[in-house]
Amino acid sequence: MYFVERSRVDSPVGKLVFHLPETTVLGWFQRAWHHEDPEALLNAELGGGAYGFASIFEAIEEHRLPCPQTLDELRELLDEHLWVESDDPIRLDARGLRVRTNDDEVDLAYYFLEDEAVAAHPDRLAYLVSGTWPLPSGAAAPGATFAPDVSLRVVGPPGPGPDSVYAVRITWQHTDHDRTNLDPREATVFPGVNLPGLADHLRGIADPVSPECYDADLLRGLVGPDDDGIGRAMERYVCLTPYDLSIVGRGTAPSHEQILRWKLPEPPPEARVAVDEHLTQATRYIDDFFGHEQLFLFDTQWAAAHPDLALSLLRYATHWDPLAP
């Protein structure tokens, strides 16, 4: 079984991933329920546990809560005693436990996911349970296809080719300021272009796309007039210093000139960039408090070679619970 914490953790991928010996969520809680040292258990198996999770063990001791024998009993106990700062109810079923909460700065989520669920739903869970950097870079041959069944923000005009480029940015600052970091915009798609041609394609979009496609405009600003490929744009991205990359008061993406004024001469040592022909990925280091945000660009050829990773990454940018309908 997997435990994943998606929060402000010390990791370039913005999450911690642990594999636990139990095969079921109920089995883990039954073993942990009356553990002689819950704090040591959480440190050893869950990296300390997510914000608020220790509250269930405090309640067990304070109220002498009986160990649950069924998922329904566990759900009732968690509903009543687990400290969660969210309007979203906890989600517990045979596939796992998914919890959304808030640490008073940002929203975060944590997950107990059974191995059978991960094996049965790789198109939803493969990226969530991957804690490694970078993602694999192999690509399929030209002519391969990829047809994601998720909602996307389409940016035109389309290019002339059969492929598409997908952009996923995972950030703590939501560009819709009435929403939170776990209410993300859908991923962005540029139809008719592959990743090697994306820089030229972006330069051909003369006007800002729209506030609803902020990430497309951010990419337009990152690309320089003489860039050969998208690699230089990703290098500029990890050199940007502001926490919020929108123009204050307008909520719009910065121009190329503004990006050049904001960027550091060199990226922080904590930043990461990996540029390949059909996948480019970067983690921008913000500070010790917020950690990193991530930007992934991949095209049809990469997605066709890694369909589960691609689909689950697109879902990661769509809903905090990848098992949501």
Side-chain angles (χ1 to χ4, degrees), residues 20-32:
L20 308 176
E22 272 75 21
T23 58
T24 68
V25 174
L26 180 61
W28 187 89
F29 275 94
Q30 288 175 329
R31 177 169 63 87

Side-chain angles (χ1 to χ4, degrees), residues 1 3-5 16-20 28-29 31-60 78 82 97 110 112:
M1 184 177 68
F3 173 78
V4 182
E5 179 181 351
L16 297 176
V17 180
F18 301 91
H19 197 256
L20 308 176
W28 187 89
F29 275 94
R31 177 169 63 87
W33 203 257
H34 292 301
H35 195 279
E36 62 182 12
D37 190 345
E39 182 179 0
L41 175 69
L42 298 187
N43 287 334
E45 298 193 2
L46 310 184
Y51 184 84
F53 182 65
S55 62
I56 186 62
F57 297 98
E58 296 166 3
I60 290 169
L78 294 177
L82 180 65
L97 171 67
Y110 55 93
F112 288 83

Side-chain angles (χ1 to χ4, degrees), residues 193-254:
V193 63
N194 61 12
L195 193 57
L198 181 61
D200 281 341
H201 182 77
L202 291 169
R203 281 191 291 265
I205 302 176
D207 299 316
V209 178
S210 74
E212 288 72 31
C213 290
Y214 173 91
D215 289 349
D217 285 329
L218 176 62
L219 288 169
R220 290 176 64 249
L222 287 167
V223 171
D226 302 315
D227 288 355
D228 181 15
I230 203 68
R232 292 285 303 281
M234 300 296 275
E235 292 167 1
R236 293 185 189 100
Y237 173 72
V238 298
C239 288
L240 294 177
T241 54
Y243 162 67
D244 184 354
L245 294 183
S246 61
I247 301 298
V248 175
R250 289 186 288 168
T252 57

Side-chain angles (χ1 to χ4, degrees), residues 4 20 30 47 86 123 146 162 168 172 175 178 181 183 202 205 221 236 268 273 299 313-314:
V4 182
L20 308 176
Q30 288 175 329
S86 172
D123 60 322
F146 174 66
V168 175
W172 298 115
T175 51
D178 59 341
N181 55 287
D183 298 310
L202 291 169
I205 302 176
R236 293 185 189 100
V273 178
D299 64 16
L313 179 55
L314 293 175

Side-chain angles (χ1 to χ4, degrees), residues 123 145-154 164-166 187-189 298-300 303-304 307 310-315 318:
D123 60 322
T145 60
F146 174 66
D149 58 347
V150 297
S151 177
L152 299 167
R153 293 180 181 256
V154 181
S164 296
V165 171
Y166 303 85
T188 301
V189 59
F298 61 88
D299 64 16
T300 300
L311 281 167
S312 57
L313 179 55
L314 293 175
R315 286 197 170 91
T318 303

